[in-house]
Amino acid sequence: MKLLVIGSGGREHALVWKLKKSKKVDKIFCAPGNSGIGQIAKCINIKPDNITELGDFAHRNKIGLTIVGPEGPLTKGIVDEFQRRRLKIFGPNRKAAKIEGSKVVSKEFMKKYHIPTAAFRVFNVAAEAIGFCRSVEFPVVIKADGLAAGKGAVVVRNFEQATKTIENMMIKHLFGHAGDKIVIESFLKGEEVSIMAITDGKSIIPFLSSQDHKQVYDGDRGPNTGGMGAYCPTSLVDEYLSEQIRDYILLPTIAGLQKEGITYKGILYAGLMITESGPKVLEFNCRFGDPETQAVLPLLKTDLLDLMLAAVNQKLGSGRRLDWLQGSAACVIMASKGYPTKYRTGVKISGLKNFSNDTCHIFHAGTVLKGNQWLTNGGRVLGVTGIDKDLRQALNHAYRAINKIRFEGAMYRRDIGAKALKKTVNQV
Ligand code: AMP
Ligand code: GLY
């Protein structure tokens, strides 16, 4: 079977790498991909948002399944368009993707179906939102309704910060129309966990839990990024918590979507806060997480293409079990100096051999190969994933590989998984 993967980051490299292991796969195309992906797949120069051209390509090349990485094309209705043309595609349709595309829709959905989440109010007039903030207990979290490239949620600690954030979103239109409406919600305390689950709209099967590291600097300091590293699984999500997540979050979400007349096929990503009173949803995403996917997929033994086809054909079944490698995986992101704001590209990378083996994989996020020279080509440059029997060993593999890779201004967090390691030490 021929596959088309849409997207160009580390997540898509991990998807292509994993899908390539399936015996059913003859060839993988990636649109637009990157030079790292180009080592194992054929990159084609079509942008993820160019739905018509992607459909034409899939039709012309008899693609057996298209897999969508980023949220943009999903919220724009790529799945609806492919289905209309009878092309098989893995991902939720436009209506289903609203669960990520609109915070207001997502929060109101959770409220309606009693899915645990932070208490919230919705505003579409700035003065009313500011008025509301006169009487709240800080901190609160202010979120732009629409997609804002991971920058649309701001924790504010006092009235002045709240006013400024509301003005930025609703009056200065910092995020364009994404800020026409906002959600103000109470601040939840706890530890964050990412749960990705595959669903055919009827059954839902969770993958192993993982944890992202969103802030740019060690110790969770500095601005939020797309993610500086992740590890899998987390010790936080034990059997009891898994059951809670399944019974109070995943199953009610699928049941609620069905009641709304929505058949959600694809990956449902739940960003959770594990609070004293149980897991609560911070956000839903309608796709694989990045960098989580780079830590989760290397542990998955089950054929990913089989799973995806079962989801698309609504044959997932609730009894299906996923096979996982015993042990841990840890992905450390190497980023360009200045990320997540301004950074240079075109910086020479040395030491970038093909490390891919049983204990280490290098997933490319922003690289380009010019002749024989690898150059940086984005904020997040590489995802270096180590795998071994425990988290400490997995991290050792990742950091050892990182020590061999050099580019000017390379930035990476040195404390990926450190909180989890500390916990194991304290528990012993
Ligand atoms: P979101 O885009 O909704 O996932 O928010 C981005 C980040 O903001 C999350 O990963 C959390 O770190 C933080 N955050 C969002 N909502 C809350 C909340 N209600 N309480 C505490 N932190 C939050
Ligand atoms: N790692 C967070 C995300 O993919 O949105």
Side-chain angles (χ1 to χ4, degrees):
M1 184 185 285
K2 288 196 259 182
L3 306 181
L4 170 61
V5 173
I6 297 175
S8 62
R11 166 182 54 204
E12 286 75 20
H13 195 175
L15 280 166
V16 169
W17 168 83
K18 175 69 188 157
L19 287 164
K20 237 193 134 168
K21 293 183 183 294
S22 172
K23 289 196 183 71
K24 291 198 186 80
V25 172
D26 300 314
K27 185 164 187 180
I28 307 185
F29 296 93
C30 191
N34 62 43
S35 291
I37 297 175
Q39 307 289 302
I40 55 169
K42 171 107 180 84
C43 293
I44 53 165
N45 191 15
I46 309 177
K47 292 212 168 71
D49 285 351
N50 197 340
I51 293 174
T52 310
E53 223 181 294
L54 288 167
D56 292 345
F57 180 88
H59 178 74
R60 245 190 351 260
N61 290 279
K62 302 196 168 49
I63 298 294
L65 185 69
T66 296
I67 296 111
V68 189
E71 63 280 10
L74 293 168
T75 56
K76 289 199 173 81
I78 189 169
V79 171
D80 311 63
E81 173 64 11
F82 271 50
Q83 283 172 345
R84 199 182 57 75
R85 297 176 66 168
R86 305 210 176 289
L87 296 164
K88 279 212 184 226
I89 183 160
F90 178 81
N93 63 23
R94 196 172 66 86
K95 222 168 155 194
K98 277 233 152 115
I99 207 156
E100 171 168 2
S102 165
K103 296 270 187 215
V104 173
V105 167
S106 164
K107 293 291 290 190
E108 282 174 348
F109 170 80
M110 286 190 258
K111 189 171 164 193
K112 185 167 173 187
Y113 293 99
H114 309 292
I115 295 157
T117 189
F120 71 101
R121 291 274 301 268
V122 174
F123 295 93
N124 50 22
V125 178
E128 286 174 17
I130 292 169
F132 173 72
C133 285
R134 288 185 195 283
S135 61
V136 295
E137 213 177 290
F138 288 100
V140 293
V141 188
I142 302 182
K143 298 182 176 180
D145 174 44
L147 295 178
K151 295 183 184 132
V154 186
V155 178
V156 295
R157 304 198 176 271
N158 54 48
F159 181 71
E160 286 67 40
Q161 282 178 0
T163 308
K164 199 168 155 220
T165 305
I166 294 166
E167 283 175 356
N168 281 343
M169 288 181 182
M170 302 186 85
I171 296 171
K172 295 190 184 150
H173 304 289
L174 226 59
F175 306 117
H177 286 303
D180 288 353
K181 285 192 221 169
I182 60 165
V183 169
I184 302 184
E185 66 178 42
S186 53
F187 180 83
L188 299 174
K189 276 203 214 110
E191 221 181 296
E192 280 185 57
V193 162
S194 308
I195 299 288
M196 296 191 275
I198 187 162
T199 175
D200 61 1
K202 298 187 294 189
S203 308
I204 182 157
I205 308 176
F207 290 173
L208 290 179
S209 65
S210 54
Q211 191 168 53
D212 190 4
H213 294 62
K214 289 212 165 85
Q215 288 88 353
V216 68
Y217 303 127
D218 285 10
D220 293 336
R221 287 175 304 110
N224 267 356
T225 67
M228 293 298 288
Y231 67 91
C232 167
T234 67
S235 56
L236 205 62
V237 181
D238 55 13
E239 213 171 306
Y240 174 70
L241 197 52
S242 296
E243 280 173 15
Q244 285 202 322
I245 293 168
R246 183 193 63 205
D247 294 346
Y248 299 126
I249 294 169
L250 299 179
L251 293 176
T253 300
I254 292 305
L257 287 164
Q258 275 176 343
K259 283 207 186 107
E260 297 292 311
I262 294 171
T263 306
Y264 190 112
K265 295 187 203 172
I267 296 294
L268 178 71
Y269 166 123
L272 306 179
M273 187 70 90
I274 310 302
T275 71
E276 273 180 357
S277 55
K280 297 198 172 162
V281 178
L282 292 175
E283 64 164 345
F284 281 123
N285 291 331
C286 62
R287 50 162 174 90
F288 283 99
D290 197 358
E292 289 94 327
T293 301
Q294 301 177 60
V296 175
L297 289 188
L299 293 181
L300 180 67
K301 284 209 281 187
T302 306
D303 187 305
L304 182 60
L305 179 59
D306 278 347
L307 270 181
M308 288 177 162
L309 288 170
V312 171
N313 297 325
Q314 292 209 285
K315 295 215 163 74
L316 208 49
S318 48
R320 190 187 286 258
R321 289 193 67 86
L322 305 185
D323 273 338
W324 296 97
L325 284 175
Q326 293 293 316
S328 288
C331 171
V332 182
I333 299 292
M334 293 184 84
S336 301
K337 184 178 168 192
Y339 176 73
T341 40
K342 261 201 181 150
Y343 51 83
R344 229 160 34 101
T345 57
V347 178
K348 281 186 184 169
I349 310 173
S350 65
L352 187 55
K353 289 202 208 73
N354 184 7
F355 285 105
S356 208
N357 56 43
D358 286 348
T359 54
C360 188
H361 301 293
I362 310 275
F363 297 119
H364 290 233
T367 65
V368 63
L369 187 60
K370 290 266 160 74
N372 285 329
Q373 180 63 58
W374 287 98
L375 303 172
T376 65
N377 195 33
R380 288 192 289 183
V381 177
L382 298 163
V384 181
T385 298
I387 302 132
D388 210 321
K389 60 180 190 309
D390 61 32
L391 180 58
R392 189 178 299 278
Q393 300 288 342
L395 285 162
N396 282 345
H397 291 302
Y399 282 114
R400 227 177 279 145
I402 281 181
N403 279 336
K404 293 185 190 143
I405 302 169
R406 304 211 183 267
F407 56 90
E408 203 190 309
M411 260 188 1
Y412 58 91
R413 277 184 62 163
R414 286 158 175 81
D415 66 343
I416 301 303
K419 265 191 277 176
L421 286 181
K422 214 161 142 198
K423 232 181 259 161
T424 17
V425 171
N426 287 342
Q427 274 163 7
V428 172

